[in-house]
């Protein structure tokens, strides 16, 4: 049984929960502790008690600790990647890639610990000195989703610690394994007692306690729009700083002048890799009429050649859906799309040697942007094609969504590429690249219904994890 980590101790939870492999439901990875409200409050109290010491801690010590954590994560990437693929269902290669990315992100923030710059500014009053400094927020609650079980925890925990905050980390219920392994490494690398706390358990219990406790000063959340809206209201009512990264309905525009091979490669990658379970997944292909039929034909052919199977099996390109409830959601949207008059290719339940949640990639054609399948996040291997006549219509349709996380265009025209970069209403814009796939040293985040608050990743995360103070001194 894997325990919670609170105030420097590994402790049992109030109950436990089994971590089940979606590629093979007979494979139980382990039992994981589940905290109740009282245990979550203990973790928050431990973080609060550790904060005065940690905020004064030497930045070289913080940098060395994070460097060691990042290096160890990378050193163990083969084993942790396998664990990740086993609990979440992305392929082994994707799992290992995510672990390495998590390690690189943590190492980046080791450096950022040394770069918490302030500013000295001339005053408009003679004989007065002004300093602007950044100070840590205090206790930061970290709430993460299941689809990036180690990368998202890493890109929140590392800057929180680097900038002098104490952490209460609540991973997603479905994927505690990677979160637990990352926590074990943080503990092994010498994080002081109380500075980092792992509290596994239900969102409605552990998450809710983090949101409502007056001793949590800031909450960083990644997950669905519904939960994110609740986090926003709850934090706003208590005047807590918060940051939300939520869903997407990301468009991929394919212009007549696109290279067809590139368009198909980036579209397959964006829509179906990681079983389409990425907030940055492409879900709307907005295709100009001259290339439409060739694109649909080439996509259908390429999709049928994709190997769907056990995440750990050699040759698997698309793993299973994460669990029964996500599979039910995907299937219900396939019904909704059919009911709306769209034509479906793929989207079939598949049997494999082991019992798991296998679904073949699905593509709807003959759709329009008002359909529910084009407005609501499905979060599975399901995408639609919307036919448009020209670039202006493509841009309008791309921006006509409540979301604004990522967008992409495939074109050989500099004019369309530059215009799209300027006028797309999303926070990330890609040219001749998939909507998914980002670097760790630059800001990440969306606009409109996809995100709220300061950007994550890169140096920009200092905005969320610190507060500025302006100090005036009479000389
Ligand atoms: P979710 O909203 O169901 O859960 C996210 C986290 O919130 C989990 O840890 C959950 O336990 C917790 N939670 C649930 N109820 C809570 C409550 N009342 N109070 C506090 N916490 C609570 O999301 P999910 O299903 O785990 O993840 C999928 C979603 O995440 C998708 O919508 C996806 O687009 C989004 N996502 C967004 C990004 C991004 O950066 N924009 C990245 C990955 C995933």
């Amino acid at each position: 049984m894997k325990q919670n980590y609170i105030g420097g101790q590994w402790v049992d939870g109030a109950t436990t929960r089994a971590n089940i492999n979606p590629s093979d439901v007979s494979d139980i990875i382990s039992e994981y502790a589940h905290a109740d409200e009282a245990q979550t409050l203990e973790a928050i109290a431990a973080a609060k008690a550790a904060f005065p010491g940690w905020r004064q801690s030497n930045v070289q010590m913080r940098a060395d600790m994070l460097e060691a954590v990042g290096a160890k994560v990378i050193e163990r990437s083969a084993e942790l990647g396998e664990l990740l693929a086993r609990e979440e269902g992305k392929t082994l290669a994707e799992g290992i890639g995510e672990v390495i990315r998590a390690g690189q992100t943590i190492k980046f923030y080791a450096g950022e610990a040394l770069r918490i710059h302030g500013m000295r500014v001339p005053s408009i009053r003679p004989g007065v000195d002004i300093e602007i400094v950044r100070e840590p927020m205090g206790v930061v609650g970290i709430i993460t989703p299941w689809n990036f079980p180690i990368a998202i925890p890493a890109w929140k925990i590392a800057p929180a610690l680097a900038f002098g905050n104490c952490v209460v980390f609540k991973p997603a219920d479905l994927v505690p394994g990677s979160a637990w392994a990352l926590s074990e490494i943080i503990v092994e690398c010498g994080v002081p007692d109380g500075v980092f706390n792992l509290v596994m358990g239900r969102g409605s219990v552990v998450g809710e306690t983090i949101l409502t406790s007056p001793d949590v000063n800031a909450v960083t959340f990644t997950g669905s729009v519904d939960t994110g809206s609740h986090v926003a209201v709850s934090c706003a009512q208590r005047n807590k700083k918060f940051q939300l990264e939520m869903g997407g309905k990301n468009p991929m525009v394919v212009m007549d002048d696109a290279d067809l091979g590139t368009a198909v490669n980036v579209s397959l990658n964006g829509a179906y890799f990681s079983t389409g379970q990425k907030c940055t997944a492409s879900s709307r292909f907005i295709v100009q009429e001259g290339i439409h039929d060739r694109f649909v034909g080439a996509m259908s052919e390429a999709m049928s050649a994709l190997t769907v199977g056990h995440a750990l099996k050699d040759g698997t390109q698309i793993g299973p859906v994460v669990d029964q409830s996500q599979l039910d959601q995907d299937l219900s949207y396939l019904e909704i799309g059919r009911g709306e008059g769209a034509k479906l290719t793929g989207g079939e339940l598949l049997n494999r040697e082991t019992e798991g949640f296998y679904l073949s990639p699905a593509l709807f054609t003959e759709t329009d942007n008002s359909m529910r399948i084009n407005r609501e996040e499905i979060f599975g291997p399901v995408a639609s094609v919307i036919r448009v006549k020209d670039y202006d219509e493509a841009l309008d349709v791309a921006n006509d969504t409540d979301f604004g996380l990522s967008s992409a265009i495939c074109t050989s025209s500099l004019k369309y590429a530059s215009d799209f970069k300027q006028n797309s209403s999303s926070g990330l814009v890609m040219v001749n690249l998939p909507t998914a796939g980002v670097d760790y040293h630059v800001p990440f985040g969306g606009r409109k219904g996809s995100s709220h608050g300061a950007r994550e990743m890169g140096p920009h995360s200092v905005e969320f994890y610190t507060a500025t103070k302006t100090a005036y001194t009479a000389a």
Side-chain angles (χ1 to χ4, degrees):
M1 207 270 290
K2 306 288 188 191
Q3 295 169 302
N4 282 326
Y5 187 74
I6 296 173
Q9 303 291 323
W10 290 104
V11 287
D12 286 346
T15 53
T16 63
R17 185 183 201 274
N19 187 359
I20 295 166
N21 178 350
S23 299
D24 175 1
V25 293
S26 69
D27 176 26
I28 310 288
I29 296 159
S30 189
E31 291 284 333
Y32 288 80
H34 248 211
D36 58 10
E37 184 189 354
Q39 196 171 51
T40 311
L41 289 172
E42 277 171 36
I44 294 168
K48 186 181 177 188
F51 179 61
W54 184 245
R55 67 171 297 188
Q56 305 291 351
S57 60
N58 184 285
V59 288
Q60 183 67 54
M61 184 267 274
R62 287 186 217 161
D64 289 347
M65 190 192 81
L66 288 170
E67 182 65 34
V69 173
K72 199 153 229 183
V73 166
I74 292 173
E75 193 184 296
R76 288 178 56 186
S77 57
E79 167 218 342
L80 296 183
E82 184 178 329
L83 170 66
L84 196 164
R86 195 170 154 214
E87 71 172 345
E88 200 270 353
K90 59 183 69 173
T91 63
L92 184 57
E94 289 170 329
I96 294 172
E98 184 181 330
V99 173
I100 291 171
R101 174 54 56 94
Q104 290 166 330
T105 307
I106 296 166
K107 282 156 81 72
F108 173 83
Y109 284 110
E112 288 301 281
L114 300 167
R115 284 188 280 268
I116 314 173
H117 299 152
M119 214 190 249
R120 184 157 174 257
V121 180
S123 170
I124 55 171
R125 285 176 278 169
V128 172
D129 229 19
I130 305 178
E131 290 157 90
I132 305 167
V133 294
R134 287 194 176 277
E135 296 183 342
M137 292 302 301
V139 176
V140 176
I142 294 181
I143 302 178
T144 56
W146 51 262
N147 64 329
F148 283 98
I150 196 163
I152 293 179
W155 84 51
K156 293 179 189 291
I157 294 167
L161 296 178
F163 300 133
N165 300 281
C166 291
V167 165
V168 177
F169 168 39
K170 185 223 134 4
D173 240 5
L174 273 178
V175 290
S178 304
W180 192 91
L182 174 62
S183 304
E184 184 189 36
I185 292 173
I186 293 171
V187 172
E188 279 170 10
C189 291
V191 71
D193 293 355
V195 170
F196 171 81
N197 302 275
L198 167 71
V199 197
M200 298 176 287
R202 296 183 66 81
S204 56
V205 178
V206 177
E208 203 57 42
T209 308
I210 289 172
L211 298 184
T212 50
S213 162
D215 292 331
V216 174
N217 307 97
V219 175
T220 174
F221 167 87
T222 301
S224 63
V225 172
D226 284 351
T227 315
S229 307
H230 172 69
V231 171
V233 170
S234 190
C235 289
Q237 277 170 347
R238 292 167 179 82
N239 210 13
K240 253 179 222 200
K241 191 171 185 180
F242 64 95
Q243 171 186 58
L244 311 174
E245 287 299 343
M246 302 174 286
K249 200 67 203 171
N250 308 298
M252 158 64 71
V253 171
V254 181
M255 298 300 297
D256 280 353
D257 64 12
D259 176 79
L260 184 63
T262 304
V264 169
N265 280 339
V266 300
S267 298
L268 278 185
N269 178 314
Y272 303 121
F273 285 16
S274 300
T275 324
Q277 297 173 151
K278 288 182 182 171
C279 50
T280 47
S282 318
S283 52
R284 297 179 297 140
F285 297 122
I286 299 164
V287 185
Q288 202 177 356
E289 56 195 7
I291 198 171
H292 177 277
D293 293 356
R294 280 181 294 136
F295 175 79
V296 169
M299 277 294 283
S300 309
E301 201 176 310
M303 281 163 57
S304 61
L306 289 172
T307 307
V308 180
H310 194 298
L312 298 179
K313 201 170 165 190
D314 265 359
T316 293
Q317 290 168 291
I318 311 281
V321 172
V322 74
D323 72 350
Q324 185 65 50
S325 108
Q326 183 61 50
L327 181 62
D328 290 343
Q329 175 164 316
D330 298 348
L331 293 172
S332 86
Y333 274 105
L334 295 180
E335 274 315 303
I336 290 168
R338 280 199 202 94
E340 287 178 310
K343 190 176 148 214
L344 178 63
T345 305
E348 281 142 17
L349 283 173
L350 303 172
N351 287 318
R352 292 292 178 260
E353 280 165 23
T354 49
E355 194 189 329
F357 310 108
Y358 298 107
L359 181 66
S360 67
L363 185 68
F364 279 116
T365 51
E366 309 306 327
T367 81
D368 70 58
N369 202 43
S370 67
M371 292 178 175
R372 281 184 64 192
I373 49 167
N374 285 327
R375 305 218 68 88
E376 298 168 18
E377 186 182 48
I378 301 172
F379 217 58
V382 184
S384 304
V385 177
I386 303 167
R387 189 195 305 250
V388 291
K389 63 178 185 314
D390 56 20
Y391 172 76
D392 289 341
E393 188 185 353
L395 179 68
D396 283 350
V397 172
N399 287 342
D400 177 15
T401 167
D402 294 338
F403 296 101
L405 186 54
S406 183
S407 65
I409 187 167
C410 275
T411 180
S412 54
S413 154
L414 188 58
K415 184 178 99 182
Y416 293 143
S418 336
D419 190 88
F420 193 74
K421 280 191 278 185
Q422 265 185 45
N423 293 309
S424 166
S425 62
S426 55
L428 307 165
V429 187
M430 316 286 179
V431 178
N432 293 324
L433 285 168
T435 48
V438 295
D439 286 10
Y440 60 85
H441 62 305
V442 289
F444 172 86
R447 297 181 181 175
K448 301 196 277 187
S450 290
S451 302
H452 180 93
R455 288 294 81 130
E456 299 202 79
M457 297 227 263
H460 287 67
S461 63
V462 75
E463 294 293 336
F464 179 74
Y465 294 100
T466 63
T468 54
K469 179 180 277 173
T470 314
Y472 295 82
T473 311

